[in-house]
Amino acid sequence: MGELILANEATGEEMTLNMGPQHPSTHGVIRFIIKTDGEIMREAVPDVGYLHRAIEHIAEKCTYEGFMPYTDRVDYVCAMPANHAWALAVEKLAGLEVPERAEYLRVITDELNRISSHCIALGAMAMDVGAITPFTYILREREYVNELLEMICGARLTYNYHRIGGVGWDMPAGWRDKVLAWCDHFAPVMDEFDRLITNNALFVQRLAKLAVIAADEAIDYGLVGPNLRAAGVDFDVRRDVPYSIYPKLKFEVPVGRGLVGTVGDAWDRYWVRAQEWRQSVSMVRQCLAQIDATAPEFWKAPKKLKPVGDAMARVEAARGDMSCYVVGDGGTNAYRARFRTGSFNAMGIIRDKSRGLMVADLVALIASLDVVAPEIDR
Amino acid sequence: MSDEVARDANVEANSDAAVSRVRADEWRATAERLRADGFDFLQNLTAVDWIKEERIELVYHLWSYARRQERVVKIDLPRGEPTVASVADVWRAANWYEREQYDLLGVRFAGHPDLRRILMPEDWPGHPMRKDYVEAPSYNGMPTTRANTLELLPIWDKPTWDKK
Amino acid sequence: MKARLWPLLLIVAAGCAAPELAPIRDARPTRLQRGERMLVEASAPLFDVGPPVTVTFDALGVTLPARAVAPDRVVATLDEDSPPLAGASTITVAQGAHRWTSDARTPFDVELCAPALQHLANGWAARLPGPAWLWWALALLMAAAIVAAPLPVVAGLIVVWERKISGYMGSRFGPNRVGPNGWLQWLADGLKLLMKEDIVPSAADPRLFRAAPYLAFLGLFLTFIVLPFSRYAIVADLDVGLLFLLSVTSLVVVSIIIGGWSSNSKWALLGGMRSAAQIVSYELPASVALLTIATLTGSLSTQRIVAAQGGWPWQWNLFHDPFTFVAFFIWFVSALAEGNRTPFDLPEAESELVAGYNTEYSGFRFSLFPLVEWVNIAVIGAVGTLLFLGGWRLPFVDNALIDAHPWLDACGFVVFVAKDLAIVFVVIWIRWTLPRFRVDQMMSLCWKYFIPFSFVCFVGELGWVWLMPPLAGRIVAGVLFAVFGVGFGGWFVARVRDNARRYHDLILNDALGRGDA
């Protein structure tokens, strides 16, 4: 990094700005070194690692079951799918079975968490572009989801809910009705949000045609999730590499269509997330309707967990295809655990996309890719 | 080229069956061939430090969007000098993956455009995820360990736990 | 194409066929204070310099002594005993046996104004010991204090109001701890800023750095001189009021550049330059929109502009004709841009990335910049009110009634402040609803859209004033008021009611059925 800064031209025309690890954005501690002439950027180089907590190293020191709380911190904004990825990988490695009720509960909590994560993503995007009120509205809604998840597992952010072999607790009494009541409540909120910001002329003007990522570029850089779908690639892990009980659910996968600009621009990345909300609500309803037909067992805890071999599990987290690769050598701890997250790949594209953008657009670009620091650094 | 690589693509999606072992010097050619075959998404790159076997194993997980198919490539590298060709220009996602595995495990990727540490600071000594990694006692003058908090409380009685 | 040339031909013909000029051509100023002098100009050298001259206001029956200073110029003096003057009148100048009169078709609107500060100071100087300049200075200081003292309080109250509005708009309370329901928050914040350490960066230019905030405050403070809060509550009714307003607000631009440059920090400088460029660009459409109103009224004096409107909404300049209607919006948006308010607050909001001009400031010096910004909102409201919304005018009330019942003047003050606060509310509302423009989008909006449109308004207004017969004009004004005033107002109220009904349950009901909402 030293040579990048020192090689700065001394003509006085170009300056190197530091968008430091602390900045008033909800994307976390990420640093950008921006070379600009004051208006247009020559490039913005990301410098990550400020939130590196050695989670993968810790996996080697913890038992498979004991590592579950650490997986929350892989992406604390959307922690349930990370839990799910670890549980799925270890269950594949050890060949464990999961009761059906647990699968339903996993999917319900995954989708609720996806909604709350998109709340942050879309609200922060609106706020980074200047509209502060939609963010406060959406945080109000996210509070409800946090409370629902607190009722089921006791925590609002880092849940530690899934277990190897099932989930930690069953639904409390009355929880289903509360979730359904909240789903009914949330539907007009999504419409209000759309009216307020999605089609707002200023918002569209800021985001349309910004940092267009074409489909082949997105695949090449390894973008996943809503970023990939906004570029026009119709792929969703839940539908195409199905896991858990997703094959029993009916849902659509929104793909970017370039409604107000070009396919794959920042507005499309926003719009795909705004459509995914609705699908998640529908999935939650379906699960709650189907869960009654399952047996009451929700956790088949393994007696002895010392698997050998390796296994890869992919889940669709809110930020895309999160894959967990675990290697076991017969001990109680994992020999190697690796989490590959959507935000890590998204950071890789920022340097190339930032060339020629204005400084204000960089903020919009980062927000549209929905990167969060914990996923990048782990 | 090993036989396993030439295996046909009639492998079901979602199965781990398509695992190939490739020699380090064949990796570049294999990668280009796999990319041409339609494996356009480098999904994951892991380096596993098998210290007892004196090798570092690189595991590449590839995915083909067109065929909805997975392929796993494993490469063994000698632990003393783990070097392999970089595929950062075959899959641009590999750019950051390879930097991370270099940072944490010390695998060198020859031909990488910008191989430098990504998560740790530039002047960090050692590769933290190696099994024989021992953290230096201080970094740039800052100590890397802290006293046990419980030992720092002389005014309280040390907690006594009932031993059952 | 030929059809469009006809109005031009008519104008030229009218000009050619104009009758010869009356002997007395001009008299100014027409609004005088006791002790002032009026200059009367003739269209030809008519007078003898030396012999006494009298100037008579025919319709008012008042004669003043005067003297000729040049063959075509006469100066009349209003001394302390002059009788009151108010009304439209022709002017007759008599010297010896000769009499010359001004054009009967365009009488002069003569008015004797309330005593000015200078008069007050003269009175003190006459009655109290001490040199005259001392009493002058005291009078000036007194007036300045009366105008300046409420400014921090006004700024503070608007700040708290804004925070409460933004809170309620964002499903939360604003400040609600300090004072009754949070309304003394400004006091706490102001005291805190006063008590902060005053840091001047060592690399900064010491004099300029210290001076910049005061320049900004000066620029803002001076605008209060010409704002007519009621018929008599105006510091000085300058004949060039609007021009004065525009020029002193430019002091704010200067202070921004000085603040950015003297901070000796490249990001402060960039932020300051960008902010200044934005303000200067938007001065153009704002000024041309103001010119539209000046054209309509025929005067740059703020009191004149208010006097030309009426108390009822359909008598406001806003609904007078389509060009003033459009000019209002052009002016309003340009004023938002000049005040660095969302959606034009990129120079400030980019302090996430490139710090604004006030980065290096702290403590009291820093507090002046936001103070200027918030009082500027109130000034925007005031200017909008006086130009477009009828100012302090009340329905059914004219000047004579106000003179007879002084409490009506206080009513006018209240009406002015109410309209001002309504515009301030809209400004705050816009800030908390809309996202912000990027710099290039903002500049292109100004140069590619606002400036052409504002010129169209101005020229259109010229044509309207010249050509439109009064009855047709009134009909158009009525239609505009019906459609945009009543129609829009009704739609707005209906929409607010609908939203309240729809979202009231959404927010306040117990969505989770916990029973403890």
Side-chain angles (χ1 to χ4, degrees), chain A residues 17 38 133 137 140 147 359, chain C residues 169 171 267 274 353 432 514:
Chain A
L17 287 179
T133 308
Y137 288 170
R140 183 193 72 217
E147 289 192 24
V359 169
Chain C
M169 282 183 182
S171 306
W267 304 317
R274 192 174 289 145
L353 200 56
W432 290 98
R514 289 165 291 167

Side-chain angles (χ1 to χ4, degrees), chain A residues 8 14-19 23-25 34 37-39 126-134 136-137 140-141 143-145 147-148 151 178-179 181-182 184-186 188-189 191-192 195-197 200 202-203 205-206 210 358-363, chain C residues 165-172 266-267 270 274 342-346 349-355 429-442 444-445 449 495 498-499 502-503 505-517:
Chain A
N8 169 20
E14 186 179 272
M15 356 186 268
T16 307
L17 287 179
N18 196 38
M19 192 167 159
H23 56 88
S25 162
I34 303 173
D37 66 353
E39 287 295 339
M127 193 169 73
D128 285 342
V129 170
I132 307 175
T133 308
T136 56
Y137 288 170
R140 183 193 72 217
E141 298 308 318
E143 280 304 302
Y144 287 124
V145 178
E147 289 192 24
L148 286 172
M151 288 176 207
K178 292 190 167 65
V179 174
W182 178 80
D184 293 333
H185 157 96
F186 191 59
V189 170
D191 295 331
E192 180 195 30
R195 284 217 325 262
L196 190 55
I197 194 80
N200 183 303
L202 279 173
F203 191 69
Q205 209 180 8
R206 282 295 294 271
L210 174 67
M358 301 189 72
V359 169
D361 287 333
L362 178 67
V363 177
Chain C
I165 292 174
S166 77
Y168 282 107
M169 282 183 182
S171 306
R172 55 191 180 90
K266 60 183 161 186
W267 304 317
L270 259 189
R274 192 174 289 145
T342 316
F344 300 101
D345 65 346
L346 199 63
E350 236 186 355
S351 57
E352 301 173 8
L353 200 56
V354 176
W429 182 13
I430 290 179
R431 176 186 183 176
W432 290 98
T433 308
L434 294 178
R436 64 179 75 101
F437 278 111
R438 218 171 50 205
V439 169
D440 60 324
Q441 292 167 344
M442 181 186 64
S444 91
L445 179 69
Y449 297 97
R495 176 104 179 207
D498 175 49
N499 273 348
R502 199 192 311 191
Y503 296 114
D505 298 335
L506 199 71
I507 296 167
L508 295 185
N509 263 9
D510 187 6
L512 294 185
R514 289 165 291 167
D516 57 340

Side-chain angles (χ1 to χ4, degrees), chain C residues 211-465:
Chain C
Y214 301 113
L215 269 179
F217 185 75
L218 181 70
L220 185 76
F221 169 56
L222 285 174
T223 61
F224 278 85
I225 290 179
V226 292
L227 292 179
F229 286 92
S230 80
R231 172 150 160 75
Y232 288 112
I234 180 172
V235 177
D237 185 16
L238 302 177
D239 275 339
V240 290
L242 278 188
L243 198 58
F244 179 78
L245 259 179
L246 291 171
S247 31
V248 298
T249 48
S250 307
L251 269 178
V252 177
V253 180
V254 173
S255 87
I256 289 177
I257 297 184
I258 290 180
W261 189 82
S262 67
S263 300
N264 208 5
S265 149
K266 60 183 161 186
W267 304 317
L269 176 62
L270 259 189
M273 298 289 283
R274 192 174 289 145
S275 193
Q278 176 182 322
I279 297 180
V280 163
S281 302
Y282 277 93
E283 288 275 356
L284 283 164
S287 312
V288 175
L290 295 190
L291 271 183
T292 308
I293 298 299
T295 311
L296 173 59
T297 314
S299 162
L300 286 173
S301 151
T302 50
Q303 276 290 28
R304 273 298 170 81
I305 293 175
V306 174
Q309 300 175 71
W312 295 105
W314 52 85
Q315 293 170 325
W316 293 347
N317 276 345
L318 175 63
F319 299 114
H320 185 270
D321 56 72
F323 298 108
T324 58
F325 190 72
V326 174
F328 172 67
F329 292 102
I330 293 180
W331 169 82
F332 182 68
V333 178
S334 306
L336 278 182
E338 287 192 63
N340 270 343
R341 298 283 300 180
T342 316
F344 300 101
D345 65 346
L346 199 63
E348 297 182 343
E350 236 186 355
S351 57
E352 301 173 8
L353 200 56
V354 176
Y357 58 91
N358 56 7
T359 329
E360 304 289 344
Y361 286 90
S362 63
F364 180 64
R365 265 185 262 282
F366 170 75
S367 70
L368 280 178
F369 281 117
L371 188 150
V372 164
E373 181 183 328
W374 267 289
V375 178
N376 195 26
I377 304 177
V379 170
I380 291 174
V383 172
T385 309
L386 78 94
L387 286 175
F388 294 97
L389 297 186
W392 48 261
R393 295 292 302 240
L394 300 161
F396 301 123
V397 171
D398 64 358
N399 285 349
L401 211 55
I402 291 183
D403 286 338
H405 304 279
W407 59 270
L408 281 173
D409 204 37
C411 288
F413 182 86
V414 168
V415 162
F416 186 91
V417 170
K419 292 178 188 170
D420 188 347
L421 289 180
I423 295 187
V424 168
F425 178 78
V426 173
V427 170
I428 294 175
W429 182 13
I430 290 179
R431 176 186 183 176
W432 290 98
T433 308
L434 294 178
R436 64 179 75 101
F437 278 111
R438 218 171 50 205
V439 169
D440 60 324
Q441 292 167 344
M442 181 186 64
M443 283 299 176
S444 91
L445 179 69
C446 173
W447 290 91
K448 290 201 268 190
Y449 297 97
F450 274 11
I451 290 185
F453 271 111
S454 65
F455 276 111
V456 163
C457 281
F458 177 55
V459 172
E461 186 66 33
L462 284 174
W464 188 279
V465 165

Side-chain angles (χ1 to χ4, degrees), chain C residues 173-185:
Chain C
F173 301 110
N176 61 348
R177 297 265 178 229
V178 186
N181 212 19
W183 281 99
L184 288 182
Q185 182 72 39

Side-chain angles (χ1 to χ4, degrees), chain A residues 1 3-4 45-49 52 56-57 60 92 217 219-224 228 233-235 239-242 310-312 314 321 323 325 327-329 335-336 338 340 344-345 347-348 351 376-378, chain B residues 13-14 16 35 40-52 57 59 61 63 65 68 70 72 74 89-94 96-97 99-101 104-105 114 116 118-120 122 128-131 133:
Chain A
M1 192 60 55
E3 62 272 12
L4 271 178
V45 181
D47 177 22
V48 299
H52 180 61
E56 293 177 355
H57 196 160
E60 301 171 12
K92 237 191 207 176
E217 231 182 330
I219 297 175
D220 198 24
Y221 276 95
L223 292 187
V224 289
L228 180 69
V233 178
D234 188 5
F235 179 77
R239 185 193 59 193
D240 300 319
V241 191
D310 63 348
M312 153 77 89
R314 294 165 80 173
D321 171 359
S323 66
Y325 177 64
V327 177
D329 67 340
Y335 191 78
R336 173 80 163 100
R338 163 104 173 105
R340 199 274 303 146
F344 187 77
N345 294 8
M347 289 301 285
R351 182 176 182 174
I376 305 169
D377 300 336
R378 287 154 280 126
Chain B
N14 232 359
D16 293 336
R35 177 76 209 240
D40 43 5
F41 179 30
L42 176 57
Q43 206 238 89
N44 196 0
L45 165 57
T46 315
V48 188
D49 182 16
W50 296 104
I51 187 169
K52 291 210 190 79
E57 183 185 36
V59 183
H61 283 86
W63 174 260
Y65 279 111
R68 299 283 198 259
E70 190 180 5
V72 182
K74 294 190 179 180
D89 52 340
V90 179
W91 295 282
R92 274 184 283 190
W96 274 42
Y97 290 151
R99 278 179 66 188
E100 185 182 3
Q101 300 311 314
L104 297 178
L105 276 123
D114 183 23
R116 55 190 164 89
I118 188 170
L119 296 178
M120 308 304 295
E122 282 78 42
M129 284 208 58
R130 293 232 176 161
K131 295 288 180 183
Y133 174 74

Side-chain angles (χ1 to χ4, degrees), chain B:
Chain B
M1 203 167 288
S2 3
D3 296 336
E4 284 144 324
V5 173
R7 188 153 6 148
D8 191 70
N10 272 345
V11 180
E12 292 158 37
N14 232 359
S15 92
D16 293 336
V19 178
S20 341
R21 290 212 164 262
V22 173
R23 285 206 319 265
D25 48 355
E26 292 172 349
W27 168 229
R28 179 78 205 190
T30 313
E32 285 167 4
R33 185 185 165 274
L34 285 169
R35 177 76 209 240
D37 260 351
F39 287 97
D40 43 5
F41 179 30
L42 176 57
Q43 206 238 89
N44 196 0
L45 165 57
T46 315
V48 188
D49 182 16
W50 296 104
I51 187 169
K52 291 210 190 79
E53 299 160 33
E54 288 285 321
R55 67 182 169 103
I56 289 183
E57 183 185 36
L58 283 180
V59 183
Y60 289 78
H61 283 86
L62 299 165
W63 174 260
S64 163
Y65 279 111
R67 297 206 294 270
R68 299 283 198 259
Q69 208 180 79
E70 190 180 5
R71 174 68 61 95
V72 182
V73 176
K74 294 190 179 180
I75 305 175
D76 282 325
L77 305 173
R79 201 167 176 279
E81 213 206 293
T83 310
V84 76
S86 162
V87 291
D89 52 340
V90 179
W91 295 282
R92 274 184 283 190
N95 191 321
W96 274 42
Y97 290 151
E98 291 176 353
R99 278 179 66 188
E100 185 182 3
Q101 300 311 314
Y102 162 68
D103 186 5
L104 297 178
L105 276 123
V107 180
R108 301 204 70 90
F109 292 90
H112 191 280
D114 183 23
L115 193 66
R116 55 190 164 89
R117 290 186 182 268
I118 188 170
L119 296 178
M120 308 304 295
E122 282 78 42
D123 53 352
W124 190 266
H127 297 283
M129 284 208 58
R130 293 232 176 161
K131 295 288 180 183
D132 58 352
Y133 174 74
V134 173
E135 197 174 15
S138 77
Y139 168 69
N140 280 348
M142 296 177 279
T144 53
T145 52
R146 264 198 313 238
N148 185 350
T149 325
L150 291 176
E151 307 285 333
L152 290 177
L153 299 173
I155 59 174
W156 302 100
D157 291 337
K158 293 221 174 57
T160 54
W161 306 106
D162 287 339
K163 291 212 170 50
K164 288 208 172 76

